[in-house]
């Protein structure tokens, strides 16, 4: 929205806009208005110029009915026409009205019924005896549309419209005036006499065409002021005798324009004007404004032809406006679907929006973007600092209801933004949910707007006569305004792209929230079970186990000499059982302790935990004479060092434990891939039947009996859990008798980075 100051917030203007302009009871004097009672068409009100036109005074007119002043042969035809609801069938009608005596004057007569049901007949002097043939409009419209088809730019298009309208009507100046969202407007096409100064590209404040006037234009599409200097005439009597109220003249042709507007036209040097509304989807899009230096009358038919031209051609304009941005829109569509793809493939949608070749900035051609999700900021490009953004989001949350809010001048509504006008004068704010936002920013671009006269002094209000009188500015001389704190405007296609993205995000966030709720439930349950088990294991089990262990040892010490060999073996088995049980408990505890919540992710040189593991395994390594080769340049990654040590220790001790008859050879490597590090631990041990390659990572799964290979079957389950904590993957490639290679990955940016499959 363009928020150029147009004094719109002025109390006088607001008061003026509440005053009706449709029931002043004043008529332009070039025609006559008759208000008729149905069905006998008795004259209830008449404009006071009746004497000048018919030679009959208004008082006398009120004693007559239409029959008395028309040529009698017409009356029957009119009465039939008036029985229809749709009066278009008899409009316009050539009407021969009797002047005093037997003289007749010819009028174009147009009937309409107003909102109160009054029948109103307006008589305008007929300038031609014949109707302008409809076909000639058609040809005209078709010729201009053919031309239009060849132009693609909206501007050229509008230029053709003003050319055509000027050709048909002969006005000195014809302009196409387009409203902005804040109701100020600009002349975007002009065709004129050469010596007149140009109004092209001049802006005019919203107060030049106040609200009640704009409202009127939506129902009355075409308005003519043939002589801006003509003295208006009143209706007689002023109030309608049936309702005892002023007459509603909204759809009248002859209604005299408000004095303020007439003064405006005088100040502009305009002698006559014709104005055609351009309506799009029920909203006033713009106007075709025609000016003539001297008085000028345009017949009903010609006005209708212009209205027709306006409507037909304008429907092309709206299409054109849509297609003008076609290529850009297609590009934004592509970016939008790219973002949605990236979002749905990421574990968290924010990375999907930020971390790829196509990112949030592409969607609106913004210079900066920021996502606030669950209190965390992710920034992209040029943005205000996080601290400022926190305040901004709070302000948005408290003041803005729209799901997608745009401004090209944030500082004008949120003064704190002045400090960072160079990054965020323009803002698009998309609310996802409570306090979660995606924001786009554009820097200030200092612009010059050319106004037709000083917009800050567009009018004067005068209260001296007891009621409010508004007068327009006297000078329309070029008034240049430098507009600061404003960015380039956001295009509708960009805003639409943001709205589309919002739908996708809301869907993803909602779906993720559902999935997460389920998952969290499951996880919480199993974590809780595990923790409970670990607790039981460490306390409840440990104690009786110590008991057993102590008593068995006591038995051996006290009665050792009295026991036979079998009894000693049994004690040995009991001690072994207890030790195994102890390891099991330790392993389960170790497993339950691998928990992302308590992990400490820090920059870790992989070699350090690996060397610790080797130290811990020193005895087994030297016993087995294992040869361990480690790649020279192992990377530094974001990881929990203790967990990494445990991981290497488990993998290495397996490689040694399950060694074949050959001397164990183990090779450790790391390789950088696009988004992650790929580690491998390769051995020449007994290998694993591929069908079991997945099972081995499951808790308590063993492929061998404890007699063959000792252990709890927890080691690889712990490894898997550690890697999952790091958002990586672990797997094994192996064949029986051919050794195994264990692979695991860790994302380059650590756990915060997405897992990519
Ligand atoms: C009406 N003001 C209008 C109309 C136009 C403009 C086109 C409609 C005229 C019609 O219906 O015949 C303004 N005309 C322009 C502009 C250009 C132009 C911007 O040619 C640019 C080239 N006008 C003022 C102020 C007030 C005001 C200060 O300048 C009052 C606050 C009022 N304008 C005003 C009113 C009408 C009007 C009341 C309606 C006139 C009527 O139909 O009674």
């Amino acid at each position: 929205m363009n928020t150029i100051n147009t004094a719109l917030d002025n109390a006088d203007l607001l008061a003026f806009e509440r005053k009706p302009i449709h029931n002043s009871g004043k008529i332009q004097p070039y025609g006559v208005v008759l208000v008729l009672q149905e069905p006998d068409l008795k004259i209830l009100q008449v404009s006071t110029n009746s004497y000048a036109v018919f030679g009959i005074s208004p008082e006398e007119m009120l004693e007559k009915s239409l029959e008395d002043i028309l040529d009698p042969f017409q009356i029957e035809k009119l009465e039939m026409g008036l029985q229809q609801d749709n009066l278009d069938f008899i409009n316009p009608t050539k009407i021969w009205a009797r002047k005093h005596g037997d003289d007749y004057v010819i009028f174009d007569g147009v009937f309409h019924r107003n909102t109160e049901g009054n029948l109103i007949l307006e008589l305008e002097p007929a300038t031609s005896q014949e109707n302008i043939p409809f076909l000639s409009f058609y040809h005209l419209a078709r010729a201009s549309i053919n031309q239009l088809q060849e132009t693609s730019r909206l501007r050229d298009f509008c230029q053709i419209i003003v050319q055509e309208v000027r050709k048909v009507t002969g006005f000195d100046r014809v302009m196409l005036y387009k409203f902005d969202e804040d109701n100020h407007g600009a002349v975007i096409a002009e065709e004129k006499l050469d010596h007149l100064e140009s109004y092209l590209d001049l802006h005019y404040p919203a107060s030049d065409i106040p609200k009640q006037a704009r409202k009127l234009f939506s129902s009355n599409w075409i308005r003519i002021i043939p002589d801006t200097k003509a003295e208006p005439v009143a209706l007689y009597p002023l109030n309608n005798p049936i309702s005892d109220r002023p007459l509603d003249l909204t759809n009248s042709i002859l209604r005299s324009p408000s004095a303020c507007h007439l003064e405006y036209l005088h100040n502009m040097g305009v002698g006559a004007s014709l104005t055609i509304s351009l309506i799009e989807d029920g909203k006033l899009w713009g106007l075709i404004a025609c000016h003539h230096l001297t008085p000028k009358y345009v017949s009903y038919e010609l006005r209708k032809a212009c209205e027709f031209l306006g409507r037909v051609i304008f429907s092309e304009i709206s299409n054109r406006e849509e297609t003008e941005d076609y290529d850009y829109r297609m590009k934004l569509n592509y970016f939008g679907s790219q973002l949605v793809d990236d979002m749905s493939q990421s574990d968290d949608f924010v990375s999907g929006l930020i971390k790829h070749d196509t990112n949030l900035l592409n969607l609106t051609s913004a210079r900066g973007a920021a996502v606030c999700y669950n209190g965390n900021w992710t920034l992209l490009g040029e943005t205000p600092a996080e601290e400022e953004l926190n305040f901004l989001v709070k302000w948005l949350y408290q003041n803005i209801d729209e799901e997608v809010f745009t401004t090209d001048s944030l500082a004008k509504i949120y003064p704190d933004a002045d400090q960072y006008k160079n990054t965020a004068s323009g803002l698009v704010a998309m609310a996802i949910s409570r306090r979660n936002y995606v924001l786009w920013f554009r820097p200030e671009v200092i612009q010059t707007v050319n106004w037709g006269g000083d917009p800050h002094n567009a009018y004067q209000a005068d209260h001296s006569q007891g009621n409010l009188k508004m007068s327009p500015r006297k000078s329309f001389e070029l008034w240049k305004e430098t507009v600061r704190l404003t960015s380039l405007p956001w295009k509708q296609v960009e805003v639409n792209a943001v709205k589309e993205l919002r739908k996708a995000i809301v869907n993803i966030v909602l779906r993720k929230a559902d999935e997460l709720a389920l998952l969290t439930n499951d996880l919480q349950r199993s974590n809780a079970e595990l923790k409970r088990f670990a607790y039981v294991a460490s306390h409840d089990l440990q104690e009786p186990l110590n008991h057993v262990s102590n008593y068995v040892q006591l038995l051996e010490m006290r009665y050792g000499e009295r026991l036979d060999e079998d009894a000693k073996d049994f004690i040995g088995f009991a001690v072994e059982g207890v030790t195994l049980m102890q390891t099991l408990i330790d392993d389960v505890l170790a497993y339950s302790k691998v928990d992302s919540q308590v992990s400490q992710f820090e920059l870790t040189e992989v070699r350090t935990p690996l060397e610790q593991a080797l130290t811990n395994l020193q005895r087994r390594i030297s016993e087995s004479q294992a040869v361990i080769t480690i790649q020279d340049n192992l990377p530094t990654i974001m990881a929990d060092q203790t967990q990494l040590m445990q991981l290497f220790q488990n993998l290495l001790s397996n490689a040694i434990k399950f060694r074949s008859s050959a001397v164990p050879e183990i090779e450790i490597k790391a390789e950088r891939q696009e988004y992650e590090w790929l580690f491998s631990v390769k051995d020449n041990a007994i290998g694993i039947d591929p069908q079991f390659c997945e099972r081995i990572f499951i808790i308590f799964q063993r492929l061998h009996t404890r007699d063959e290979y000792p252990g709890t079957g927890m080691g690889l389950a712990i490894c898997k859990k550690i890697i999952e904590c790091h958002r990586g993957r672990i797997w094994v490639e192996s064949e029986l008798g051919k050794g195994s290679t264990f692979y695991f990955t860790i994302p380059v940016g650590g756990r915060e980075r997405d897992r990519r499959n």
Side-chain angles (χ1 to χ4, degrees):
M1 187 173 94
N2 210 333
T3 45
I4 294 166
N5 175 22
T6 51
L8 242 188
D9 48 1
N10 187 297
D12 289 326
L13 182 63
L14 291 176
F16 181 83
E17 286 187 324
R18 276 196 296 273
K19 285 171 56 166
I21 55 171
H22 63 276
N23 59 5
S24 65
K26 289 205 180 132
I27 302 298
Q28 303 190 57
Y30 74 94
V32 181
V33 168
L34 299 168
V35 183
L36 304 168
Q37 183 163 41
E38 293 187 272
D40 55 1
L41 307 183
K42 189 175 171 319
I43 297 171
L44 295 174
Q45 281 174 285
V46 62
S47 51
T48 48
N49 55 350
S50 67
Y51 190 82
V53 178
F54 303 116
I56 308 174
S57 73
E59 292 83 355
E60 266 181 279
M61 291 288 278
L62 294 195
E63 285 158 19
K64 297 183 184 295
S65 73
L66 197 58
E67 213 171 357
D68 302 324
I69 56 164
L70 294 199
D71 187 282
F73 80 92
Q74 300 174 85
I75 257 307
E76 206 173 313
K77 203 174 103 203
L78 284 180
E79 278 176 342
M80 266 173 45
L82 290 173
Q83 281 166 16
Q84 314 282 326
D85 282 337
N86 186 349
L87 296 178
D88 282 348
F89 295 113
I90 51 166
N91 285 337
T93 302
K94 293 280 175 240
I95 287 184
W96 278 260
R98 194 178 316 159
K99 274 183 117 169
H100 237 58
D102 270 343
D103 266 2
Y104 281 92
V105 245
I106 306 172
F107 294 100
D108 280 326
V110 176
F111 289 92
H112 79 276
R113 293 192 180 90
N114 71 4
T115 46
E116 291 158 332
N118 296 300
L119 180 64
I120 298 170
L121 169 60
E122 301 187 72
L123 299 173
E124 296 180 77
T127 46
S128 73
Q129 303 282 110
E130 280 168 67
N131 288 347
I132 294 178
F134 176 78
L135 267 185
S136 63
F137 301 156
Y138 168 75
H139 286 302
L140 198 132
R142 209 179 59 171
S144 31
I145 286 173
N146 277 346
Q147 274 192 61
L148 293 173
Q149 233 96 51
E150 284 160 24
T151 47
S152 60
R153 283 186 58 238
L154 181 68
R155 280 266 171 162
D156 302 340
F157 215 80
C158 296
Q159 194 59 38
I160 291 174
I161 294 176
V162 292
Q163 259 166 25
E164 291 303 313
V165 171
R166 178 144 186 261
K167 220 190 272 173
V168 189
T169 59
F171 271 90
D172 292 339
R173 184 199 302 272
V174 178
M175 294 168 285
L176 207 136
Y177 185 83
K178 182 177 187 293
F179 289 101
D180 208 326
E181 269 165 68
D182 67 356
N183 290 322
H184 98 270
V187 175
I188 63 169
E190 181 187 45
E191 201 49 39
K192 60 171 186 66
L193 285 180
D194 289 343
H195 71 270
L196 296 182
E197 66 173 315
S198 172
Y199 294 165
L200 190 62
D201 288 327
L202 289 188
H203 291 244
Y204 294 83
S207 54
D208 283 17
I209 313 178
K211 196 166 152 197
Q212 79 276 48
R214 286 195 305 273
K215 188 163 164 242
L216 219 80
F217 301 170
S218 320
S219 80
N220 198 354
W221 289 40
I222 180 151
R223 298 165 308 281
I224 178 161
I225 310 172
D227 182 358
T228 59
K229 292 258 164 68
E231 198 58 42
V233 291
L235 281 178
Y236 177 83
L238 203 53
N239 275 0
N240 183 270
I242 296 186
S243 68
D244 199 28
R245 279 202 304 262
L247 197 68
D248 175 0
L249 288 170
T250 300
N251 288 317
S252 146
I253 301 159
L254 289 167
R255 180 183 62 82
S256 176
S258 111
C260 183
H261 180 52
L262 287 174
E263 201 181 332
Y264 184 90
L265 292 175
H266 297 163
N267 295 352
M268 263 194 178
V270 177
S273 86
L274 176 73
T275 314
I276 303 164
S277 305
L278 299 174
I279 311 267
E280 186 183 40
D281 298 332
K283 217 180 134 227
L284 195 62
W285 180 94
L287 301 168
I288 299 175
C290 312
H291 290 176
H292 210 62
L293 300 178
T294 51
K296 179 178 173 65
Y297 180 70
V298 180
S299 72
Y300 183 86
E301 285 88 357
L302 195 48
R303 293 193 318 256
K304 276 283 166 199
C306 292
E307 184 183 335
F308 175 74
L309 259 180
R311 283 193 197 217
V312 173
I313 298 177
F314 181 60
S315 66
E316 280 288 316
I317 296 192
S318 349
N319 286 343
R320 206 49 61 114
E321 228 183 358
E322 265 178 32
T323 47
E324 190 164 62
D325 283 326
Y326 181 79
D327 289 344
Y328 187 44
R329 200 171 71 219
M330 285 297 118
K331 218 158 103 186
L332 296 190
N333 275 352
Y334 169 76
F335 289 143
S337 54
Q338 229 12 59
L339 287 176
V340 173
D341 261 11
D342 290 341
M343 272 193 306
S344 40
Q345 279 172 28
S346 305
D347 279 351
D348 75 311
F349 77 93
V350 180
S351 326
L353 293 175
I354 299 281
K355 299 190 175 167
H356 302 271
D357 292 343
T358 297
N359 60 37
L360 281 178
L361 298 182
N362 299 108
L363 198 67
T364 59
S365 305
R367 292 270 281 277
V371 185
C372 177
Y373 196 65
N374 294 338
N376 294 319
W377 282 103
T378 313
L379 307 183
L380 189 66
E382 295 161 28
T383 69
E386 277 189 24
E387 199 187 323
E388 303 292 355
L389 290 177
N390 281 330
F391 287 118
L392 174 61
V393 160
K394 194 168 164 211
W395 178 84
L396 285 169
Y397 180 68
Q398 287 169 348
N399 295 283
I400 304 293
D401 286 334
E402 289 123 289
E403 288 168 348
V404 173
F405 165 77
T406 63
T407 172
D408 56 13
S409 186
L410 182 59
K412 286 196 188 136
I413 42 175
Y414 176 66
D416 287 1
D418 196 287
Q419 307 163 50
Y420 46 80
K421 60 179 189 206
N422 290 334
T423 48
S425 281
L427 168 75
V428 176
M430 173 216 279
I432 306 171
S433 55
R434 262 181 85 87
R435 291 172 206 254
N436 290 330
Y437 284 89
V438 181
L439 310 175
W440 287 262
F441 309 106
R442 272 184 192 166
E444 174 186 46
V445 176
I446 296 172
Q447 298 161 65
T448 309
V449 175
N450 293 336
W451 292 93
D454 176 0
H456 306 290
N457 292 303
Y459 55 84
Q460 277 187 332
D462 177 4
H463 295 270
S464 62
Q465 306 295 316
N467 59 5
L468 173 65
K469 182 172 177 291
M470 299 288 272
S471 313
R473 60 195 174 283
K474 299 267 182 301
S475 162
F476 289 89
E477 215 160 283
L478 175 63
W479 199 94
K480 277 183 181 291
E481 183 180 40
T482 306
V483 181
R484 294 176 195 280
L485 296 178
T486 300
S487 72
L488 293 180
W490 303 97
K491 290 190 169 186
Q492 192 56 44
V493 279
E494 293 159 346
V495 179
N496 289 348
V498 168
K499 288 186 176 160
E500 282 304 308
L501 182 69
R502 182 176 184 278
K503 283 188 208 154
I505 292 184
V506 168
N507 276 340
I508 288 173
V509 170
L510 286 181
R511 203 185 62 219
K512 285 256 152 80
D514 275 357
E515 280 172 11
L516 260 177
L518 283 176
L519 216 70
T520 322
N521 263 339
D522 284 356
L523 265 179
Q524 274 173 349
R525 208 174 318 118
S526 67
N527 260 349
E529 275 163 19
L530 191 67
K531 287 234 166 84
R532 211 172 308 125
F533 176 70
Y535 182 81
V536 170
S538 57
H539 291 273
D540 297 11
L541 288 182
Q542 199 83 49
E543 215 178 272
L545 203 59
N546 287 343
H547 238 67
V548 174
S549 166
N550 291 341
Y551 279 100
V552 171
Q553 282 171 25
L554 199 64
L555 200 63
E556 202 185 8
M557 272 162 48
R558 284 229 193 136
Y559 303 96
E561 284 165 18
R562 279 185 260 164
L563 296 177
D564 62 12
E565 279 311 300
D566 274 357
K568 281 185 182 162
D569 279 351
F570 295 160
I571 289 179
F573 293 151
V575 172
E576 220 173 84
V578 167
T579 317
L580 176 65
M581 187 81 172
Q582 214 115 41
T583 333
L584 200 59
I585 290 172
D586 289 345
D587 282 354
V588 169
L589 270 176
Y591 184 83
S592 71
K593 272 187 200 148
V594 182
D595 182 341
S596 59
Q597 309 260 305
V598 293
S599 305
Q600 290 191 337
F601 295 98
E602 56 196 354
L603 270 181
T604 304
E605 276 182 60
V606 172
R607 191 164 265 278
T608 314
L610 176 57
E611 278 171 0
Q612 266 171 25
L614 292 173
T615 314
N616 297 346
L617 294 172
Q618 209 171 21
R619 198 170 49 90
R620 275 189 256 176
I621 295 171
S622 56
E623 272 171 12
S624 63
Q625 295 178 322
V627 181
I628 299 175
T629 327
I630 300 171
Q631 183 182 309
D632 270 347
N633 49 347
L634 286 180
T636 299
I637 57 173
M638 283 298 286
D640 180 310
Q641 187 160 327
T642 317
Q643 288 182 7
L644 219 51
M645 184 271 290
Q646 206 173 356
L647 173 84
F648 281 120
Q649 188 169 324
N650 287 355
L651 291 178
L652 291 169
S653 81
N654 277 352
I656 297 172
K657 190 198 307 179
F658 295 102
R659 67 181 175 268
S660 62
S661 50
V663 171
E665 283 172 17
I666 306 170
E667 207 181 331
I668 299 167
K669 287 191 189 167
E671 188 186 315
R672 168 79 198 245
Q673 313 232 311
E674 195 178 356
Y675 299 108
E676 55 197 10
W677 284 99
L678 173 65
F679 294 86
S680 57
V681 179
K682 183 174 179 211
D683 64 40
N684 61 344
I686 56 173
I688 305 157
D689 187 334
Q691 62 171 316
F692 299 127
C693 280
E694 289 191 7
R695 232 176 79 185
I696 55 170
F697 293 101
I698 301 172
I699 190 166
F700 299 131
Q701 293 284 331
R702 300 174 53 98
L703 300 182
H704 307 275
T705 63
R706 203 162 278 122
D707 286 344
E708 287 173 286
Y709 296 98
T712 57
M714 289 288 291
L716 287 175
I718 293 175
C719 291
K720 183 160 189 268
K721 208 168 170 210
I722 289 174
I723 287 302
E724 279 172 356
C725 258
H726 286 76
R727 294 253 159 96
R729 290 164 294 140
I730 183 166
W731 70 99
V732 63
E733 285 172 12
S734 182
E735 246 178 85
L736 268 180
K738 299 223 168 126
S740 319
T741 309
F742 281 85
Y743 292 97
F744 62 90
T745 64
I746 291 187
V748 170
R751 171 186 162 70
E752 299 313 322
R753 184 92 205 186
D754 290 330
R755 171 148 45 102
R756 219 153 281 283
N757 294 311

